[in-house]
Amino acid sequence: MQGHEKPFFREENMKKHNVIFTLLTASALFAAMGTLAACGDDSDEGKGFYYWKSDDGLSYCVAVDSEYKDMWENADLVIPAEYKGKPVTEISTGAFEETGIKSVTFSDNIKIVASSAFQDCENLKTVNWGKNITKIESSAFRNTGLETIALPAHVTDIESSAFAENKHLKTATVNGNAVLGDMVFDDCIALESVQFMGEERLTLGVQTFGDCSALKSITINADSATLDEGVFINCKLDHYSATVNVVLDSIFSESPKALTLLHAEEIPENFYYNSQMYNVTCITLPATLKRSKKGALAFPKLNKVIFEGTLKNWCEIELENVGSTPLYSFNESENCELFIDGKLVEGKLTIPEGTSKISQYAFFRYDKITEVEIPSSVTEIGEYAFAQGGNIYSAAFSEGLKTIGDNAFEQNALVEVTLPQSIETLGNYLFHANRTLIRVINKTSFTNAQINEKIGKYYFSDYLEILTEADGSAAEKAGDFLFWKDADGNYSFMRYIGSEKQITLPAAVNGSAYAIHAYAFKGFQLEKITFADTANWYIQYGSQQANPIDVTTPETNAANLQSEYLHCEWYQMEN
């Protein structure tokens, strides 16, 4: 090596080894380094490279030959697998620092990339990692031109600042069960997304992603992790994906609003409280989920739930109490959405054949369901399963259903219900506060008096009837308007089932005038109701007929209608 310029080694990387730098020959320098690069004092030159033999003489480490440094400008660097019949296993400290290489390909013999090996290689865009690298030392790829990083599973030891200050880096994936030192991705200002895909364990040091101001999404797939506080300091994440064991708000400067839980079968008790992620508004739950314990998903600000499994899977998840369902807070926010298997749950909900039960609280407080159809395979509907949604006007039960739990359809808009013969157990307050309920057809072994006690009549119409057979009365739809036709052919407008804020009531249904049920608009924040040009409108309130509405002067009746009859809110009425 005499006559050649020695490789450059960064003083700050050497201080930890208590090595005093002097201008030595290359062989003397590496003798002084000792264990730093695990190389001995036997040196050799090759075109474009320097090689040093290891202490045991079984392998070599490599660096750029500074005499040929210019040849690497915009070059594709390929690290030789062998030198003189022995494997090249290590890239030396500072080996290719400040060179102009645009890509590097490691042979499968390389195991270690030493400190600052590719630091300040600002043209470096591509790294092909080989099959056996296990360790990347401090600042090894600091301040390069890398735009994406995908570390293979065998890379498990990543030292401090290894990829810091990469201004163009946008995505990073670490596939192994890795230990990351402090500030590994510090000040990567363009970094948007990071995935840790190792399934067993992960360690992240202090400020691993410090000042990564563009970082929006993190995925941690490990079952266990050690995360130092401040890991994401000065980051504003939108989305955090992790297993239930590594969800903790204290690692964030600002809690993300979207949370994805990975491959969990059970969410533990008080998970939301222990995670302290109170700002979450959207949660994604895995298809593998089977149980949610007490208080597990009672996130107070949720307005969007995404379940990656099927509707059958969702119905059969065991929800231990009301705080176990992610729909717990859905009555606190507007426009709440439930997506199952990629589809928004809305309108008619048809439970698939083969579903054995609908668990308690399964659709609690979800207001986008208007009709429910239950197949014969369902034997149980749990308590509060469809309660407090407000808009279910039709529920079709099949023979085979044996149990309906307490308050199962509380606070909805049911008009008529048929209870099948197969029913064996009925909870209390089944249809509590369904103000539009007119008819219950009882085919069970329970007496009508027993049914009357079970269904919870609070807020029902005064003319609710319990019959053992249908009498020709039925609900009929006309567009977005639901009517009840009694046995005598008289119509009552029962429910607006659309989503518009401004509506025009039809002048007639099947050529007949109709009454307006007192709770027809309950729960709707309508802006305007336009009455068709017809005479003799009236409100049907229980068995009492109110005075006709004078449609020519609706402004005089608006307050009266709102407070006494229609029980809704709007800002303008006109004919």
Side-chain angles (χ1 to χ4, degrees):
M1 285 180 54
Q2 292 182 355
H4 296 291
E5 181 182 350
K6 69 178 180 62
F8 176 69
F9 297 90
R10 296 180 62 86
E11 182 176 0
E12 60 265 34
N13 292 327
M14 302 302 292
K15 284 182 179 178
K16 64 179 179 178
H17 299 279
N18 297 315
V19 177
I20 300 175
F21 273 71
T22 57
L23 295 176
L24 305 173
T25 63
S27 59
L29 175 61
F30 274 91
M33 288 172 60
T35 60
L36 174 64
C39 295
D41 59 2
D42 184 18
S43 63
D44 251 311
E45 331 174 356
K47 188 173 182 181
F49 298 103
Y50 271 137
Y51 297 92
W52 291 272
K53 191 178 292 185
S54 63
D55 288 333
D56 59 15
L58 298 179
S59 63
Y60 284 90
C61 54
V62 65
V64 68
D65 185 340
S66 57
E67 182 176 334
Y68 299 94
K69 187 174 182 178
D70 290 346
M71 71 179 287
W72 298 117
E73 192 69 26
N74 292 317
D76 296 310
L77 173 63
V78 178
I79 303 298
E82 295 182 345
Y83 181 69
K84 292 187 175 180
K86 298 185 185 300
V88 177
T89 60
E90 183 175 339
I91 309 298
S92 294
T93 299
F96 297 92
E97 186 174 4
E98 297 183 358
T99 58
I101 60 172
K102 66 180 182 179
S103 74
V104 58
T105 298
F106 296 113
S107 77
D108 292 342
N109 289 333
I110 295 293
K111 297 179 180 179
I112 297 173
V113 180
S115 300
S116 303
F118 296 93
Q119 182 169 338
D120 296 325
C121 292
E122 296 185 17
N123 291 336
L124 180 60
K125 303 290 186 183
T126 305
V127 178
N128 300 305
W129 295 100
K131 296 181 179 179
N132 290 297
I133 293 176
T134 59
K135 185 176 184 179
I136 300 175
E137 292 187 353
S138 60
S139 300
F141 291 90
R142 188 175 193 143
N143 187 33
T144 70
L146 290 172
E147 296 178 0
T148 185
I149 293 170
L151 296 177
H154 47 78
V155 178
T156 57
D157 188 355
I158 306 169
E159 291 188 351
S160 61
S161 301
F163 295 98
E165 300 177 19
N166 278 276
K167 307 300 184 184
H168 305 286
L169 183 64
K170 292 184 177 180
T171 63
T173 302
V174 179
N175 287 295
N177 300 308
V179 177
L180 278 71
D182 298 342
M183 305 174 71
V184 167
F185 290 95
D186 184 64
D187 204 24
C188 292
I189 59 175
L191 185 60
E192 297 174 353
S193 174
V194 179
Q195 294 181 308
F196 294 100
M197 302 309 295
E199 296 182 356
E200 297 177 8
R201 62 192 179 277
L202 174 70
T203 299
L204 299 181
V206 175
Q207 292 185 221
T208 304
F209 298 95
D211 296 316
C212 293
S213 55
L215 188 59
K216 300 300 182 184
S217 176
I218 288 283
T219 297
I220 296 178
N221 197 47
D223 286 334
S224 65
T226 301
L227 310 179
D228 278 322
E229 291 191 12
V231 168
F232 301 105
I233 192 168
N234 296 329
C235 302
K236 294 184 178 180
L237 289 178
D238 291 336
H239 196 163
Y240 182 48
S241 302
T243 59
V244 294
N245 297 324
V246 290
V247 175
L248 187 64
D249 182 70
S250 62
I251 63 176
F252 302 104
S253 294
E254 185 175 321
S255 177
K257 293 186 177 181
L259 173 64
T260 295
L261 298 181
L262 303 174
H263 52 79
E265 288 193 7
E266 178 177 291
I267 302 176
E269 186 170 333
N270 292 327
F271 169 75
Y272 106 89
Y273 178 79
N274 293 331
S275 73
Q276 302 178 38
M277 296 186 68
Y278 303 138
N279 290 326
V280 170
T281 59
C282 174
I283 192 167
T284 300
L285 302 172
T288 52
L289 185 62
K290 291 181 171 57
R291 289 174 299 281
S292 178
K293 307 294 280 185
K294 291 180 180 178
L297 294 172
F299 291 90
K301 296 182 180 180
L302 275 180
N303 56 33
K304 186 175 183 179
V305 174
I306 301 170
F307 179 62
E308 295 176 326
T310 65
L311 180 55
K312 177 181 182 295
N313 297 150
W314 177 265
C315 290
E316 294 177 350
I317 295 172
E318 297 176 18
L319 302 170
E320 200 163 282
N321 73 349
V322 65
S324 304
T325 172
L327 310 184
Y328 171 79
S329 63
F330 267 28
N331 65 336
E332 304 294 334
S333 305
E334 294 183 2
N335 196 31
C336 297
E337 295 177 320
L338 171 63
F339 289 83
I340 297 177
D341 201 15
K343 298 177 182 178
L344 177 65
V345 176
E346 62 178 345
K348 185 175 182 179
L349 179 68
T350 302
I351 305 300
E353 187 68 47
T355 304
S356 61
K357 68 176 182 178
I358 302 173
S359 294
Q360 61 180 6
Y361 303 106
F363 299 95
F364 181 65
R365 291 177 175 169
Y366 189 59
D367 65 3
K368 284 185 166 51
I369 299 172
T370 56
E371 301 176 74
V372 179
E373 186 174 334
I374 312 292
S376 59
S377 60
V378 172
T379 60
E380 177 185 353
I381 300 175
E383 62 182 51
Y384 293 93
F386 295 93
Q388 300 182 27
N391 293 318
I392 297 175
Y393 63 81
S394 173
F397 305 126
S398 299
E399 290 293 341
L401 181 63
K402 295 181 179 181
T403 300
I404 305 178
D406 294 348
N407 304 78
F409 287 86
E410 173 189 276
Q411 294 185 32
N412 273 288
L414 290 170
V415 175
E416 179 185 30
V417 174
T418 298
L419 297 175
Q421 185 177 357
S422 56
I423 291 287
E424 298 175 357
T425 304
L426 290 174
N428 295 314
Y429 301 101
L430 300 178
F431 309 118
H432 176 72
N434 279 255
R435 295 170 172 85
T436 51
L437 188 60
I438 289 178
R439 187 67 46 80
V440 175
I441 306 299
N442 175 26
K443 295 185 178 182
T444 74
S445 59
F446 292 91
T447 67
N448 287 357
Q450 289 173 320
I451 295 294
N452 190 58
E453 291 296 322
K454 288 289 186 182
I455 61 178
K457 288 185 64 175
Y458 181 57
Y459 284 146
F460 286 164
S461 303
D462 290 347
Y463 53 90
L464 170 67
E465 294 182 295
I466 300 175
L467 305 176
T468 55
E469 295 292 339
D471 63 355
S473 302
E476 294 184 9
K477 285 196 296 184
D480 286 336
F481 302 94
L482 182 68
F483 295 88
W484 178 258
K485 182 181 180 181
D486 66 21
D488 297 324
N490 298 314
Y491 285 92
S492 295
F493 171 48
M494 302 301 298
R495 187 74 175 168
Y496 172 61
I497 56 178
S499 58
E500 299 297 325
K501 295 293 186 180
Q502 301 183 15
I503 64 172
T504 298
L505 295 176
V509 56
N510 293 332
S512 300
Y514 56 89
I516 301 176
H517 190 275
Y519 292 96
F521 299 101
K522 177 66 178 175
F524 290 93
Q525 301 297 312
L526 296 172
E527 296 173 358
K528 183 168 66 175
I529 299 177
T530 301
F531 289 80
D533 186 13
T534 185
N536 201 32
W537 283 79
Y538 61 93
I539 302 294
Q540 184 74 43
Y541 183 65
S543 59
Q544 304 298 317
Q545 179 175 312
N547 293 327
I549 298 172
D550 184 355
V551 297
T552 62
T553 57
E555 67 278 357
T556 63
N557 294 281
N560 182 47
L561 290 172
Q562 180 176 331
S563 61
E564 293 190 29
Y565 299 112
L566 295 186
H567 299 273
C568 66
E569 298 177 7
W570 67 84
Y571 303 108
Q572 181 182 359
M573 295 178 63
E574 63 180 35
N575 64 320

